[in-house]
Amino acid sequence: MKIKEVFDALERFAPLPLQEDWDNAGLQIGLTAAEASGALLCLDVNEEIVDEAISKGCNIIVSHHPLIFRGLKQIVAADTVQRAVMKAVKNDIAIISMHTNMDNAIGGVNFKMAEKLHLNSVELFAKKQVGGVEAGSGVVGQLPEPIAADGFIATVKKTFGVECAQCNELLRRPISKVAICGGAGDFLLPQAIALGADAFITGEMHYHVYFGHEQEIQICVIGHYQSEQFTSEIFRDILAKECPGLKLEIAATVTNPIKYI
């Protein structure tokens, strides 16, 4: 199996035109004509991830966040990105990143978050059409049954394995309709409110956005890494179906740079 077949399978699921115009998803490093020995699936790429790919015999890394995001003017091992690039090139490892195209795709990052919370009737919101393909920046769905705000937040924390959640004051009505945007999603809060969502879950949010929504919507911010941590499962499911026989490994390396002390 060629690396190109792996890339094509991912791109069919989340076409690159779905990415935001500021993004840099797609093939980051490598030659697609090479034979694929295995794929390491992860959220971020750093030197430790490249080392893990080498140790597991994988010559493809599939990440959510791009390793090369801003242009590189030199590759001299001056920072973590340059060192990871050098190590990948030296070891003939291809790097493929599926970022905001996977955020915006049906069945992508936000759908996986909704699945983990057992939401029903999940659909896109903030919809857009890109080349005839329907996409959206968030999803909204219904909890199996209404739940009090404190119970809802406890469920979210347990589901995503977070030590704490940043919230506004507890909503004094049951939560049923939930809007979700993985990563940095505060730009969708107004649309979540307009949809009549009882709660909005995202990975990170600016301080001033919390103001003025008391008893309007329950905000629950769980951390960027935590919100997107299950993206590797999406990659695994796509490639297990489309590239049977390809060795697939979900990375054991935890790349979250934020420590809770």
Side-chain angles (χ1 to χ4, degrees):
M1 182 176 297
K2 304 292 186 183
I3 290 173
K4 184 179 188 304
E5 296 175 68
V6 176
F7 176 73
D8 288 347
L10 293 164
E11 213 266 340
R12 283 193 296 272
F13 186 93
L16 288 179
L18 298 186
Q19 71 177 312
E20 303 296 336
D21 57 12
W22 47 262
D23 200 5
N24 191 40
L27 181 68
Q28 301 260 296
I29 294 172
L31 301 174
T32 58
E35 293 288 334
S37 64
L40 183 71
L41 316 173
C42 59
L43 189 65
D44 310 288
V45 182
N46 57 19
E47 289 181 88
E48 291 76 15
I49 287 288
V50 179
D51 286 335
E52 185 176 346
I54 295 167
S55 70
K56 291 181 173 177
C58 297
N59 67 347
I60 307 171
I61 294 171
V62 181
S63 71
H64 183 46
H65 296 138
L67 171 61
I68 302 172
F69 188 70
R70 298 175 179 86
L72 293 176
K73 294 186 177 181
Q74 59 183 17
I75 304 177
V76 295
D79 57 39
T80 57
V81 172
Q82 293 180 41
R83 290 192 292 272
V85 169
M86 291 177 70
K87 186 170 285 189
V89 171
K90 283 181 179 179
N91 290 278
D92 295 319
I93 294 175
I95 298 178
I96 300 167
S97 298
M98 297 278 118
H99 190 210
T100 51
N101 53 320
M102 189 61 73
D103 289 328
N104 290 329
I106 293 173
V109 174
N110 300 312
F111 284 86
K112 176 59 71 172
M113 292 176 67
E115 175 191 314
K116 294 295 182 179
L117 288 167
H118 305 292
L119 299 190
N120 300 317
S121 304
V122 178
E123 60 181 11
L124 292 166
F125 77 98
K127 293 181 184 178
K128 50 193 169 186
Q129 288 280 335
V130 181
V133 178
E134 188 174 50
S137 300
V139 300
V140 62
Q142 298 283 337
L143 289 168
E145 58 184 35
I147 186 172
D150 56 350
F152 170 76
I153 293 168
T155 297
V156 173
K157 288 173 62 180
K158 181 178 179 181
T159 300
F160 293 94
V162 302
E163 300 179 44
C164 63
Q166 293 179 292
C167 308
N168 58 347
E169 71 175 26
L170 292 178
L171 202 65
R172 294 191 292 272
R173 68 171 189 269
I175 290 172
S176 180
K177 190 174 186 178
V178 179
I180 295 174
C181 180
D186 59 10
F187 68 102
L188 282 185
L189 181 61
Q191 293 192 53
I193 293 168
L195 282 170
D198 302 305
F200 178 63
I201 303 171
T202 190
E204 58 180 286
M205 208 165 82
H206 289 87
Y207 173 77
H208 292 285
V209 181
Y210 288 84
F211 283 100
H213 303 296
E214 297 79 11
Q215 300 310 309
E216 184 175 43
I217 192 168
Q218 182 67 66
I219 295 169
C220 186
V221 179
I222 60 175
H224 197 123
Y225 177 93
Q226 291 87 341
S227 70
E228 297 179 331
Q229 63 186 294
F230 301 117
T231 306
S232 296
E233 296 181 10
I234 306 173
F235 300 150
R236 179 196 62 199
D237 293 346
I238 295 167
L239 296 177
K241 178 182 177 182
E242 299 294 329
C243 302
L246 177 67
K247 180 171 71 173
L248 302 172
E249 299 274 358
I250 290 181
T253 303
V254 176
T255 56
N256 188 3
I258 300 172
K259 308 303 177 187
Y260 299 88
I261 298 172

